[in-house]
Amino acid sequence: MLRIITNNFAILTVLGVGLAWFQPGLFTWMTNGSITIGGQPLLSIALGLIMLAMGLTLTFEDYRRLTTLPKALVAGVGLQFLVMPLAGFAIAWGMDLEQGLAVGLILVACCPGGTASNIVTYLARGNVALSVAMTMVSTLAAVVLTPLLTGELAGTFVEIDRWNLLRNMVAIVLVPVVLGTLLNQLFPRAAARVSAILPLIAIVLVILIVGGIVGGAKAQIAQHAGTLLIATLLLHSIGFGLGFLLARVLGLGVPEQRTISIEVGMQNSGLGSGLAKTPAFAAQFADIQQAALAPVPAAISAVWHVLIGSILASWWRRRG
């Protein structure tokens, strides 16, 4: 059952977004800030749990192995933080997007890879070990690179508080990942049992987050549907396409080409939408309507990247 659910992540995401469109109340409780735990919004807790789940699958030996990074890993992570941020900025500028949409698109483009890419890489018969390593390295690097790149590129549209974004990345990403790794080191048997259901938990939380963003911004999405769909489709198409082509130019093997294509094309959209939804990030906009638009590109991108990734995985799997 768990394998069926993980293998159909794309379909479940689309179904979740569709349900959120017609029944927003089933999802908006996750993202509207009405529920807090220990003074923290439920959305931040959910993002932290997703990162904790990733940390529970890692050991400190995994971190030590990264000190001798192979060519494919260095190339993949480098391309991820080069191709997507520049593509996001170029699309926002070229399409003359409204401030909120432009900033939201650039923010998700500057986010690290998500765990969904590991599932898609497995289905595509790519290099799963490389995929997991890329997700891990890009997540750790994003603690610094996401605030830095977002500040530089999105700063063209609105002044970005890099330090606030950095604090959020440390709290939501770095601390849970390291804590999960520590728990795995101290209690390996318990971590192994919990890890068996972690993909399901991560999928449910991502769908709830994306559905909450879509349901809460239904009016804005309807008003900007055409622009949103085209901009996010372009972003991920460029990521998948250039990731594959540049990996081939570098002379990497076919499994590695597929893996880098998937890792570059698929971003952690849940993290992007969550960061854009934080009160401190929204406060940077003078116009409340623009602030409401900022999380929307990430929510739409979540649908596009799993759809494109799943289609590519099916095609590559048939090719062997």
Side-chain angles (χ1 to χ4, degrees):
M1 177 61 73
L2 180 58
R3 178 171 293 182
I4 293 174
I5 292 173
T6 55
N7 288 353
N8 290 281
F9 179 47
I11 296 174
L12 292 173
T13 301
V14 173
L15 290 175
V17 169
L19 182 59
W21 186 263
F22 293 104
Q23 296 290 333
L26 295 177
F27 295 85
T28 51
W29 55 270
M30 172 62 77
T31 57
N32 61 14
S34 61
I35 301 176
T36 60
I37 299 176
Q40 294 297 316
L42 185 59
L43 175 60
S44 297
I45 302 296
L47 290 171
L49 284 174
I50 294 172
M51 294 300 132
L52 179 68
M54 178 180 171
L56 282 169
T57 66
L58 303 172
T59 67
F60 286 109
E61 182 59 31
D62 294 323
Y63 292 96
R64 282 190 287 269
R65 278 198 292 266
L66 296 178
T67 58
T68 56
L69 299 178
K71 176 182 176 181
L73 180 56
V74 173
V77 174
L79 290 175
Q80 185 165 31
F81 284 110
L82 178 66
V83 170
M84 292 299 274
L86 291 179
F89 175 78
I91 294 167
W93 180 78
M95 293 184 65
D96 194 23
L97 297 182
E98 290 189 34
Q99 185 187 63
L101 295 180
V103 172
L105 187 73
I106 292 170
L107 175 60
V108 73
C110 295
C111 280
T115 52
S117 61
N118 306 148
I119 299 169
V120 174
T121 297
Y122 168 76
L123 297 176
R125 292 181 176 171
N127 187 328
V128 177
L130 173 62
S131 175
V132 172
M134 278 189 64
T135 300
M136 174 184 170
V137 174
S138 68
T139 298
L140 295 173
V143 174
V144 174
L145 291 181
T146 295
L148 179 64
L149 292 170
T150 303
E152 289 298 320
L153 299 174
T156 304
F157 301 92
V158 65
E159 186 175 353
I160 300 296
D161 186 343
R162 294 170 176 80
W163 287 110
N164 173 68
L165 200 50
L166 176 62
R167 287 192 295 270
N168 278 328
M169 292 296 293
V170 170
I172 293 174
V173 176
L174 184 61
V175 172
V177 169
V178 174
L179 177 60
T181 307
L182 182 61
L183 291 173
N184 188 19
Q185 193 78 12
L186 296 175
F187 310 103
R189 292 183 179 178
R193 287 195 294 269
V194 173
S195 295
I197 62 169
L198 290 181
L200 176 61
I201 294 172
I203 286 172
V204 170
L205 289 175
V206 168
I207 292 173
L208 285 173
I209 291 170
V210 172
I213 298 294
V214 170
K218 181 177 178 179
Q220 291 92 334
I221 293 174
Q223 183 180 357
H224 302 278
T227 302
L228 272 169
L229 291 172
I230 293 172
T232 49
L233 174 60
L234 281 174
L235 175 66
H236 292 292
S237 297
I238 290 171
F240 281 105
L242 284 182
F244 183 82
L245 290 175
L246 293 175
R248 173 170 286 188
V249 168
L250 290 172
L252 301 177
V254 171
E256 288 70 35
Q257 292 171 22
R258 295 176 180 180
T259 301
I260 290 176
S261 171
I262 292 166
E263 287 292 330
V264 173
M266 298 185 71
Q267 302 297 86
N268 192 334
S269 300
L271 177 62
S273 58
L275 291 171
K277 192 74 174 175
T278 58
F281 193 88
Q284 296 171 113
F285 293 87
D287 185 344
I288 192 173
Q289 294 299 321
Q290 294 301 318
L293 283 175
V296 176
I300 303 302
S301 86
V303 179
W304 273 129
H305 76 208
V306 293
L307 281 175
I308 298 172
S310 296
I311 291 170
L312 285 174
S314 298
W315 182 48
W316 281 330
R317 193 173 185 85
R318 286 195 297 269
R319 289 171 62 90

